[in-house]
Amino acid sequence: MAQQQWMIYGANGYTGRLLVEQAGAEGMRPFLAGRDRDTLKAMSDQFGVPFRAFELTDVQSVAEALQDMDIVVNCAGPFSATAAVMAEACIYAGTHYIDITGEIEVFEHLQTLDERALKAKVTLLPGAGFDVVASDCLAAHLHSELPEATQLQLGFCGEGGTSPGTLKTMIEMLGKGGRVRRGGKIVKVPAGYRQKGIVFSDGRRRHCMTIPWGDISTAYRSTAIPNIRVYTAVPLLTAIAIRVLSPLLILLRVPLLKNWLKRVVGTRVSGPNAQQRAEGCMRLWGEVRDAEGESRVAWLDVPEGYQFTAMSCLRVVKRVLQGDVQLGFQTPSGAFGAEFVSSLPDCQFTDAESAEALSVGQS
């Protein structure tokens, strides 16, 4: 049997490099790939693994670059600019596709490729990092506790910095406004549409606002719950400012302004350092309710987001290489079950019987 080969595209980015380091620590030898040949060559020499430099210009040329790969992990964001071409190329090449996106539009598009991926015997598994493994597994866990749930709310908070790629994706997302799922449909709403206080596992109540997180797409696929909101913790004044200025965020759609902001991010932001990643953590909260008003609440604590992403994504790669995944489009919990996240180091669920004492504010 030929040796299995896999590739990290965007290996020279912040999260891509973390994944390369994690893979090396576990004795794995991925191909490195991306657009910048010089940077990839330097990384190839440093880690002692092969590399390929190519751009995502057209499906056919990318498929040729993937033809001997069993898996490609796409770490090149914003994924709205990379996922479609790479996923199409994977279908042509017969290569499994994994990425670390949290972008609703990307999840929705890749779901439309499900039938073609099945025919090509390919798995499409986006959101294999903190976006959205942790929250997707929490959603599925809560659904198993209350199968008749009609409402799902998720929230998270964290410590540490943000990578250039994440900030560039946020610039893209802010220009599109907010999103919630209502009656099974994704609905556009203003940025910071709803705000509430959420008590996380450390007992602290934090001010949170709704954001267009990937679970608006994936949690519905995983649970079929028709009404979904996702919150993140932000300072009160920031949340108010975002809500008030929401109509002006449409300016971020202007290419000149959007591209300038991305260039600024690329030159001034480096992401959290090793100590911040080691000491940080992410705390998640979730609540489900059914039509009768019965509810369930759970918390999930996991390592710092980028640390978690490298760990989680590599575990997904291993499972796919082992053939332990269904073909076609998959969410993380759909592929591996709600308890996949708790099988990872330092990840733990905590359940509560009642939601009333744990969240307050507008809902």
Side-chain angles (χ1 to χ4, degrees):
M1 179 182 294
Q3 182 178 5
Q4 292 179 303
Q5 297 188 132
W6 64 288
M7 172 186 289
I8 301 172
Y9 190 85
N12 54 319
Y14 179 85
T15 308
R17 180 178 283 270
L18 290 181
L19 185 56
V20 173
E21 293 173 353
Q22 182 75 20
E26 299 191 24
M28 302 179 74
R29 290 175 50 82
F31 276 67
L32 312 183
R35 296 182 301 170
D36 190 334
R37 175 175 292 274
D38 292 340
T39 303
L40 290 169
K41 176 63 168 62
M43 288 185 66
S44 174
D45 293 340
Q46 177 184 355
F47 293 101
V49 293
F51 78 96
R52 290 177 186 170
F54 60 94
E55 296 196 28
L56 305 182
T57 51
D58 65 273
V59 171
Q60 191 58 46
S61 64
V62 177
E64 291 174 1
L66 301 179
Q67 60 184 347
D68 58 345
M69 292 291 125
D70 293 283
I71 296 172
V72 63
V73 180
N74 182 12
C75 293
F79 295 90
S80 57
T82 65
V85 171
M86 184 66 88
E88 289 277 356
C90 284
I91 290 173
Y92 276 104
T95 301
H96 299 300
Y97 175 87
I98 297 169
D99 73 25
I100 54 172
T101 189
E103 298 166 59
I104 294 172
E105 290 81 0
V106 174
F107 290 118
E108 289 292 295
H109 173 69
L110 293 182
Q111 289 183 57
T112 69
L113 305 180
D114 179 55
E115 186 174 343
R116 291 175 54 203
L118 283 168
K119 290 180 179 178
K121 298 182 179 179
V122 162
T123 296
L124 304 178
L125 208 164
F130 180 75
D131 311 9
V132 291
V133 167
S135 47
D136 185 59
C137 288
L138 177 57
H141 174 78
L142 284 163
H143 183 245
S144 70
E145 296 293 312
L146 192 63
E148 302 304 316
T150 58
Q151 297 181 46
L152 167 67
Q153 297 186 89
L154 298 167
F156 64 93
C157 65
E159 304 160 359
T162 305
S163 76
T166 299
L167 285 176
K168 291 176 183 178
T169 298
M170 289 172 63
I171 291 169
E172 292 277 351
M173 293 170 65
L174 281 171
K176 299 174 182 177
R179 297 289 188 278
V180 298
R181 190 173 285 273
R182 187 182 299 149
K185 304 293 185 181
I186 295 176
V187 178
K188 184 176 181 179
V189 295
Y193 168 67
R194 287 286 186 267
Q195 301 183 22
K196 66 185 299 176
I198 295 176
V199 177
F200 290 90
S201 62
D202 60 355
R204 288 182 56 195
R205 187 183 305 275
R206 293 171 174 85
H207 189 83
C208 298
M209 72 174 191
T210 52
I211 58 170
W213 197 248
D215 292 275
I216 301 300
S217 174
T218 54
Y220 181 68
R221 174 87 176 203
S222 299
T223 69
I225 295 174
N227 302 291
I228 302 171
R229 296 178 189 165
V230 183
Y231 295 80
T232 190
V234 292
L236 175 59
L237 292 180
T238 299
I240 293 173
I242 289 176
R243 184 66 181 88
V244 170
L245 297 175
S246 178
L248 299 179
L249 294 177
I250 194 173
L251 294 174
L252 291 175
R253 297 183 187 179
V254 177
L256 188 63
L257 175 60
K258 180 171 65 176
N259 293 334
W260 176 77
L261 287 171
K262 288 182 179 179
R263 285 195 297 271
V264 170
V265 165
T267 58
R268 298 187 182 181
V269 178
S270 58
N273 58 38
Q275 181 177 351
Q276 289 172 318
R277 294 195 305 270
E279 296 177 353
C281 71
M282 300 297 295
R283 304 183 190 277
L284 296 94
W285 163 92
E287 172 193 303
V288 287
R289 289 180 180 270
D290 65 15
E292 307 303 319
E294 186 175 353
S295 64
R296 296 289 186 277
V297 167
W299 295 281
L300 172 63
D301 290 351
V302 303
E304 185 272 339
Y306 295 102
Q307 198 93 340
F308 178 91
T309 291
M311 174 179 66
S312 169
C313 190
L314 192 59
R315 181 70 65 86
V316 169
V317 168
K318 290 179 177 180
R319 295 283 291 267
V320 176
L321 286 173
Q322 293 166 2
D324 186 18
V325 66
Q326 296 181 17
L327 301 177
F329 177 88
Q330 300 290 327
T331 64
S333 70
F336 308 121
E339 306 310 312
F340 172 71
V341 67
S342 56
S343 73
L344 300 172
D346 302 317
C347 299
Q348 182 177 1
F349 284 116
T350 304
D351 292 305
E353 292 185 358
S354 172
E356 278 68 20
L358 301 175
S359 64
V360 297
Q362 186 174 4
S363 60

